[in-house]
Amino acid sequence: MAAARDGSRRCVVAQAGAGSLGDRFLSAQGFRKVFTLRYARLALAGAGLGAGLCST
C-alpha cells in the first residue's frame, strides 16, 4: 500500500476467494469489493470434436 500511495495510485487490485482468509484479511485492511468475477466450467465429455479441439 505504501508503494501505491507513493506512486499516487488511488486504486489497487487484489484477488481472494469469497470467505477465504485472504478475503477476510483484505476486508480488515480496509479493502472493499467493487466487482465480483464468476466463472463457469462446461462439461466437454460427449461434446465431440469441433474447431479448436483435438484429441491426443
Side-chain angles (χ1 to χ4, degrees):
M1 294 303 301
R5 213 174 358 263
D6 291 346
S8 300
R9 303 290 189 252
R10 294 179 30 194
C11 299
V12 296
V13 176
Q15 178 178 333
S20 69
L21 290 174
D23 184 30
R24 292 192 296 271
F25 172 79
L26 291 169
S27 179
Q29 299 304 308
F31 282 79
R32 62 185 175 88
K33 293 178 187 172
V34 294
F35 64 91
T36 300
L37 298 176
R38 298 192 189 275
Y39 298 94
R41 293 187 181 178
L42 303 175
L44 295 179
L49 297 177
L53 299 176
C54 61
S55 62
T56 56

